[in-house]
Amino acid sequence: MERVAVCIHTDDPISRSGVLSQLRTCPELRVLPPEEQDRAEVLLVIADTVDDPTAALLRRLRRTTPAQLVLVVSRVDDAGLTTAVECGVVALERRNEATPANLVRAIVSAARGGGSMPPDLLGRLLEQMGRLQRRTLDPRGLAFSGLQPREIEVLRLVAEGFGTREIAEHLAYSERTVKNVLYDVTNRLQLRNRSHAVAYAIREGLI
């Protein structure tokens, strides 16, 4: 099995030394020095909590590297958990549970496109998502994709090659309504045009 290239990212030299000593002998991993971070498949970020500086760091790493983000954190509340996920973290471990076996499992899973977190944190995250859907999105007719059912239907028809007039006839809308739907979608999601909107919907598994 090819080893996963991982780089440790922390400002705390003691934390770096401790984690490095745990991981450098693991046959599943190839631990890279900080100067080779750009070659890493996974970045292992170590922090005390998901505060504003940590969130800014995660967003910067997500924006500037293709590596998957795994976070080891001492404390995390519900807001921090949501922020970590929004910042691109795919696996999370509490520091006091970050055994070599748990870290290797999280890193390998992240490298393969998976994700992981302790069951109680996953439960809390799902509860938050359900609460957001019920209290905020459902009353507005939205899903987590940010698209309304009629927007998804319009994009599906665009993907099938229908023109504006044909979509209007098929859905019993006016042509102006169809154009407004497409404009709202592209503007709200910052997409370039209707083709980009269709590509987004396909990528997100909406159509």
Side-chain angles (χ1 to χ4, degrees):
M1 181 181 67
E2 186 174 350
R3 293 187 297 169
V4 174
V6 58
C7 188
I8 302 167
H9 199 295
T10 178
D11 293 330
D12 179 6
I14 296 178
S15 295
R16 177 185 299 278
S17 177
V19 173
L20 182 60
S21 68
Q22 291 187 58
L23 299 185
R24 69 184 351 158
T25 59
C26 296
E28 302 92 338
L29 307 179
R30 180 163 54 92
V31 183
L32 302 178
E35 60 269 20
E36 296 183 20
Q37 176 177 297
D38 291 345
R39 298 172 52 203
E41 299 170 73
V42 175
L43 292 182
L44 183 65
V45 181
I46 304 170
D48 285 330
T49 187
V50 187
D51 54 12
D52 289 343
T54 299
L57 168 64
L58 293 170
R59 292 190 182 97
R60 179 175 63 80
L61 292 175
R62 185 63 175 170
R63 190 172 59 249
T64 59
T65 175
Q68 300 293 339
L69 301 180
V70 174
L71 178 64
V72 176
V73 65
S74 298
R75 305 176 308 280
V76 61
D77 57 15
D78 287 351
L81 182 60
T82 303
T83 298
V85 173
E86 290 173 347
C87 292
V89 169
V90 298
L92 188 149
E93 290 287 337
R94 292 188 181 93
R95 192 186 292 250
N96 63 355
E97 298 172 349
T99 63
N102 285 345
L103 288 178
V104 169
R105 184 163 49 248
I107 292 168
V108 172
S109 176
R112 293 176 177 172
S116 63
M117 66 176 58
D120 65 303
L121 293 184
L122 179 59
R124 283 162 52 186
L125 180 62
L126 292 175
E127 183 180 350
Q128 288 183 67
M129 293 174 65
R131 191 161 55 243
L132 174 63
Q133 182 71 56
R134 292 190 301 273
R135 295 181 180 178
T136 304
L137 301 181
D138 283 346
R140 300 179 182 181
L142 296 174
F144 279 106
S145 64
L147 296 178
Q148 298 176 0
R150 76 170 185 172
E151 293 173 334
I152 294 173
E153 185 65 14
V154 168
L155 290 177
R156 184 182 65 79
L157 293 173
V158 172
E160 293 178 4
F162 286 77
T164 302
R165 178 177 298 178
E166 294 171 310
I167 295 172
E169 293 175 352
H170 186 83
L171 298 177
Y173 294 159
S174 68
E175 290 186 48
R176 177 179 293 277
T177 296
V178 174
K179 291 177 181 177
N180 287 341
V181 167
L182 290 170
Y183 174 81
D184 288 343
V185 169
T186 54
N187 186 58
R188 188 172 68 248
L189 300 179
Q190 298 182 343
L191 304 169
R192 293 187 296 275
N193 48 45
R194 63 172 62 190
S195 297
H196 192 190
V198 168
Y200 169 86
I202 292 174
R203 185 174 64 248
E204 296 296 317
L206 301 175
I207 60 176

